[in-house]
């Protein structure tokens, strides 16, 4: 990875020099290539490739003397960034049966990428309303004050240039952000199915997309598919013998439904899935992504982020919540482990 970063920095430096030489007049000073590379890729990390910014950094200087060189390097150091990313995921099983309790596992990780100088200390505070479990600090986390019962987590770390997993954790949630019911019956011919999705609005999550896979193995290739609503984004994967239903930015205030009927070419049926996935035994797998908020409601207190030694930096903060696999079993079929 470090080799790749150096290659990117050198390539960007060369492109920058070509662009710079085409824009400079004969009256403007000749620049030291070291100064240029320090500006484009300080500390070997590509952060700036703007000729305009480079010229602005040297505004008011007639020649590139030592003071100007220091000013240029100082300007480059004003551009480092800290990018904090909170990623959370849920996996679960919805049985659609009174005698079986649905199960969900929630996990999360905090990642940090820094272009600050080496051995720069960073401190930050996370705000949370849930008690975290199974907290595993990363190797570059110097101190970790778990005060989640006081709705605060304090972090102290000294990151390197690579992506740093600061810590990972688990948490409990009463309800997932999305729930589903699934019913597959004999369609005469083939199979008929109904899938309903509903959202828990109290979590205030907006979705980038939701995708549902409906596999039908061991029945032969899918011959025909009819579904409602007809304007739904539905595709048929014949290789995997499954249907994919996808909704981009679904309206969370409405219940989403998909109904349909399938027929199969049983003459060419073969075992291409779990042997018990026959007749009415079937499931649907839900996945989703949200960039609006975390499921745990944890968030970074942006004002708490400080560095030592104190230098100026840009802070980027992003969150990602994903449903990696929420399995919904047919309410009138059998349930079994896979």
């Amino acid at each position: 990875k470090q080799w790749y970063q150096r290659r990117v920095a050198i390539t960007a430096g060369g492109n920058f020099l070509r662009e710079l030489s085409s824009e400079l007049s004969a009256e403007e000073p000749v620049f030291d290539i070291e100064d240029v590379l320090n500006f484009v890729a300080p500390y070997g990390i590509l952060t700036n490739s703007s000729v305009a910014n480079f010229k602005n950094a040297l505004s008011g200087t007639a020649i590139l003397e030592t003071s100007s060189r220091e000013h240029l390097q100082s300007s480059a150091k004003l551009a480092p960034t800290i990018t904090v990313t909170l990623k959370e995921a849920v996996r679960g099983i919805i049985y659609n049966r009174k005698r079986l309790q649905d199960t969900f596992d929630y996990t999360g990780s905090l990642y940090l990428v820094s272009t600050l100088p080496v051995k720069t200390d960073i401190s930050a505070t996370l705000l949370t309303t849930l008690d975290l479990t199974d907290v595993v600090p990363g190797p570059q986390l110097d101190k970790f004050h778990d005060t989640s019962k006081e709705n605060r987590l304090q972090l102290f770390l000294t990151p390197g240039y690579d992506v740093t997993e600061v810590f990972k954790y688990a948490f409990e949630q009463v309800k997932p952000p999305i729930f589903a019911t699934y019913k597959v019956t004999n369609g005469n011919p083939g199979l008929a199915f109904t899938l309903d999705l509903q959202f828990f609005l109290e979590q205030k999550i907006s979705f980038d997309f939701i995708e549902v896979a409906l596999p039908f193995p061991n029945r032969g290739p899918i011959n025909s598919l009819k579904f409602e609503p007809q304007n739904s984004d539905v595709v048929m994967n014949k290789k995997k013998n499954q249907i994919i239903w996808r909704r981009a930015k679904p309206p969370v205030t409405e219940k989403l439904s998909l109904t349909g009927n399938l027929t199969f070419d049983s003459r060419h049926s073969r075992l291409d899935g779990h042997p018990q996935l026959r007749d009415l035994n079937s499931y649907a797998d839900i996945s989703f992504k949200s960039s609006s908020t975390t499921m745990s409601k944890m968030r970074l207190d942006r004002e708490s982020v400080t560095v030592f030694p104190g230098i100026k930096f840009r802070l980027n903060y992003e969150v990602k919540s994903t449903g990696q696999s929420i399995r919904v079993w047919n309410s009138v079929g059998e349930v079994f482990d896979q």
Side-chain angles (χ1 to χ4, degrees):
K1 184 171 184 178
Q2 291 178 347
W3 172 86
Y4 176 76
Q5 289 174 338
R6 293 191 188 100
R7 182 176 178 180
V8 170
I10 293 171
T11 302
N15 294 337
F16 184 90
L17 284 172
R18 281 192 291 270
E19 185 179 355
L20 180 64
S21 62
S22 66
E23 292 194 15
L24 294 178
S25 64
E27 291 76 22
E28 292 184 281
V30 176
F31 303 113
D32 191 317
I33 189 172
E34 181 182 354
D35 296 319
V36 176
L37 291 176
N38 281 336
F39 182 83
V40 176
Y43 320 110
I45 305 296
L46 178 63
T47 60
N48 199 345
S49 58
S50 168
V51 170
N53 288 346
F54 178 83
K55 295 174 71 174
N56 289 338
L58 297 173
S59 177
T61 60
I63 56 175
L64 193 61
E65 298 176 337
T66 302
S67 59
S68 301
R69 185 173 291 114
E70 291 174 350
H71 173 66
L72 174 60
Q73 292 173 342
S74 175
S75 299
K77 294 177 183 178
L78 292 179
T81 60
I82 299 174
T83 301
V84 179
T85 305
L86 266 172
K87 294 184 178 180
E88 293 185 347
V90 57
R91 300 174 64 92
I93 302 176
I94 300 174
Y95 292 103
N96 277 315
R97 285 161 175 78
K98 293 182 179 180
R99 60 183 176 84
L100 294 176
Q101 184 176 2
D102 301 337
T103 61
F104 300 96
D105 294 320
Y106 298 88
T107 57
S109 294
L110 176 71
Y111 295 91
L112 185 143
V113 180
S114 168
T115 61
L116 294 167
V118 176
K119 297 183 179 180
T120 299
D121 297 326
I122 300 175
S123 64
T125 299
L126 298 172
L127 305 178
T128 179
T129 58
L130 293 178
D131 293 338
L132 304 183
T133 61
D134 301 324
V135 176
V136 180
Q140 292 180 320
L141 186 61
D142 301 327
K143 295 180 182 179
F144 178 81
H145 296 320
D146 185 358
T147 56
S148 55
K149 293 183 179 180
E150 302 174 6
N151 299 336
R152 299 176 70 84
L153 294 168
Q154 294 179 308
L155 311 173
F156 303 88
L157 68 153
T158 308
Y161 283 143
D162 292 333
V163 177
T164 300
E165 185 177 32
V166 181
F167 72 99
K168 51 187 177 182
Y169 57 95
F171 59 98
E172 294 183 359
Q173 193 88 326
V174 178
K175 296 178 180 179
I178 187 171
F179 190 76
T181 57
Y182 185 44
K183 187 175 182 179
V184 180
T185 59
N186 287 317
N188 296 320
L191 296 176
F193 66 88
T194 299
L195 177 69
D196 294 318
L197 303 178
Q198 66 183 71
F199 307 92
F200 293 108
L201 300 180
E202 60 267 26
Q203 293 205 17
K204 297 180 180 179
I205 290 182
S206 59
F207 295 88
D208 300 344
F209 71 84
I210 293 176
E211 186 174 282
V212 187
L214 291 73
F216 295 96
N218 308 326
R219 298 169 174 87
I222 298 175
N223 259 349
S224 64
L225 167 64
K226 297 180 180 179
F227 56 85
E228 294 286 344
Q230 293 184 356
N231 61 349
S232 301
D233 185 3
V234 176
V235 296
M236 185 167 57
N237 186 328
K238 291 188 176 182
K239 185 176 181 180
K240 294 185 177 181
N241 231 40
Q242 67 179 7
I243 302 167
I244 304 295
W245 179 32
R246 184 182 176 94
R247 287 293 302 265
K249 300 186 180 301
V252 297
T253 56
E254 302 175 12
K255 183 172 76 171
L256 304 181
S257 297
L258 181 72
T259 61
N261 185 276
L262 300 129
T263 62
F264 305 90
D265 184 357
S266 58
R267 297 172 301 173
H268 298 90
S269 64
R270 59 186 177 88
L271 187 63
D272 55 358
H274 192 286
Q276 290 183 255
L277 286 173
R278 294 181 179 276
D279 302 322
L280 300 182
N281 298 341
S282 53
Y283 61 83
D285 274 338
I286 302 173
S287 59
F288 66 81
K289 176 186 173 183
S290 171
S291 303
S292 63
T293 185
T294 57
M295 291 177 285
S296 68
K297 297 298 183 291
M298 187 189 301
R299 61 183 178 88
L300 175 71
D301 180 0
R302 300 178 66 101
E303 300 299 322
S304 72
V305 181
T306 58
V307 301
F308 182 82
I311 60 174
K312 292 183 179 180
F313 62 91
R314 297 197 312 272
L315 176 63
N316 301 321
Y317 173 54
E318 54 191 27
V319 299
K320 181 188 294 184
S321 294
T322 59
Q324 295 180 341
S325 175
I326 300 177
R327 179 154 296 181
V328 189
W329 283 97
N330 178 18
S331 59
V332 295
E334 295 180 12
V335 172
F336 47 88
D337 294 330
Q338 289 187 270

